[in-house]
């Protein structure tokens, strides 16, 4: 009986322990709604990390920091408006994220180590204007953007594309060791944008043409066929030719591809069948690559390329200005004007400053001087 009681106590202890363990695990699971996910993305840009507290409180904090006031509408509508302003932009006006990255590239500046955007803006304003501003974040970013960035040249940021940068391509036509010949062209297409520091250097859809440099037909004794391909070069967005190779990084990425892919010399990839069986009466398998097969190659050597900043959904299209109408401004008469000269930094007194008409976008009308 005592033995059975001990066993019962042990079983009860284990049950309680397991229950508590599962309770802790389930309590730690975090279910995040799409609205909160978007909110966290914006908070990482503004504050470095997602904020705590209720959703409404966090939304209001972002609105006040950006424009100095809160918006009207449902939570989803307000988050969507903030998303356009901070993350995606519109065809008429780039996003805040786009603008701050363009300023960094122009000034060769790095984000603040704290991850807090206001701290970074303080550093940039001291560098450019000599003093910091106490205006809302949207106005400060917009002023720096329009002061530092030549919108007509925004498609010409130059970056270094490192050797080893991966390029995903798709083979446009079927290749077969029994039907192709040495010297045949191997057309391919870049299937994903290649970006460096948020600069678009090789856009998806770019065409390239490789060459079959070596070919072996299948043979007896299980001897497999072989295709050796040189992928050559592809043009970058500014026309610079970028040499491609099948290096170690590309080979690692291609492990999931159902072909034996290996490197021989720079620029070459070897394709052969997997699992060929050797035997006197066994005919080898042909090497073949089906049309549409996707695989990775990589940049063979470092090269400088000029391209546009490719952040969010905005594609810069020149110095177009957008001035929202009264009906388009989502917060109506609550829009702050920021025309009080006492709020403007003293070093800006002789410079043009924005007169705010915000549609949760920084201000568009520049023209009046605060004071002379």
């Amino acid at each position: 009986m005592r033995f059975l009681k001990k066993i019962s106590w042990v079983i009860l202890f284990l049950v309680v322990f397991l229950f508590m363990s599962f309770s802790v695990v389930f309590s730690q699971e975090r279910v995040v709604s799409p609205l909160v996910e978007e909110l966290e993305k914006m908070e990482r840009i503004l504050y470095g990390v997602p904020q705590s507290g209720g959703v409404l409180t966090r939304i209001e904090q972002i609105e006040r920091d950006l424009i100095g006031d809160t918006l009207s509408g449902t939570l989803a509508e307000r988050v969507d408006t903030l998303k356009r302003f901070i993350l995606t932009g519109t065809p008429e006006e780039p996003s805040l994220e786009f603008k701050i990255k363009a300023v960094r590239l122009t000034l060769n500046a790095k984000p603040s180590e704290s991850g807090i955007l206001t701290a970074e803006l303080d550093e940039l304003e001291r560098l450019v204007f000599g003093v910091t501003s106490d205006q809302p974040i949207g106005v400060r970013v917009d002023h720096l953007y329009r002061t530092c960035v030549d919108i007509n040249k925004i498609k010409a940021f130059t970056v270094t594309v490192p050797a080893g940068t991966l390029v995903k391509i798709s083979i446009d036509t079927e290749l077969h060791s029994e039907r192709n010949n040495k010297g045949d062209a191997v057309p391919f297409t870049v299937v994903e944008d290649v970006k460096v520091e948020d600069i678009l250097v090789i856009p998806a859809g770019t065409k390239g043409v490789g060459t079959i440099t070596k070919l072996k037909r299948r043979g007896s004794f299980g001897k497999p066929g072989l295709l050796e391909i040189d992928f050559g070069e592809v043009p970058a967005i500014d026309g610079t030719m970028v040499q491609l190779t099948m290096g170690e990084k590309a080979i690692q990425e291609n492990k999931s591809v159902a072909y034996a892919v290996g490197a021989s010399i720079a620029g070459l990839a070897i394709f052969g069948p997997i699992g060929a069986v050797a035997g006197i009466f066994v005919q080898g398998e042909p090497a073949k690559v089906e049309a549409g097969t996707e695989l990775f190659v990589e940049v063979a050597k470092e090269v400088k390329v000029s391209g546009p900043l490719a952040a969010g959904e905005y594609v810069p299209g020149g110095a177009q200005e957008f001035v929202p109408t009264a009906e388009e401004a989502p917060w109506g008469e609550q829009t702050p004007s920021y025309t009080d000269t006492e709020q403007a930094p003293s070093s800006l007194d002789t410079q043009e400053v924005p007169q705010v008409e915000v549609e949760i976008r920084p201000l568009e009308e520049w023209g009046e001087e605060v004071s002379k």
Side-chain angles (χ1 to χ4, degrees), residues 40 63 134 136 139 143 163 184 209-210 269 271 292 329 332:
E40 290 184 350
E63 291 169 343
D134 59 359
V139 179
H143 195 187
D184 283 356
V209 180
F271 293 87

Side-chain angles (χ1 to χ4, degrees), residues 237-251:
I237 195 168
D238 65 349
T240 300
M241 299 308 294
V242 180
Q243 185 178 346
L244 301 177
T245 185
M246 182 62 70
E248 286 300 320
K249 288 178 67 176
I251 291 172

Side-chain angles (χ1 to χ4, degrees), residues 80-99 311-315 360-362:
D80 188 60
T81 302
L82 292 172
K83 178 184 174 182
R84 290 198 308 272
F85 180 42
I86 299 173
L87 299 174
T88 63
T90 69
E92 296 81 12
E93 185 69 17
S95 68
L96 180 140
E97 183 182 28
F98 179 97
K99 290 182 178 181
E313 300 173 3
Y314 174 76
V315 179
I360 202 60
R361 295 184 245 248

Side-chain angles (χ1 to χ4, degrees), residues 308-324:
L309 181 58
E313 300 173 3
Y314 174 76
V315 179
Q320 299 178 354
E321 292 190 317
F322 175 74
V323 181

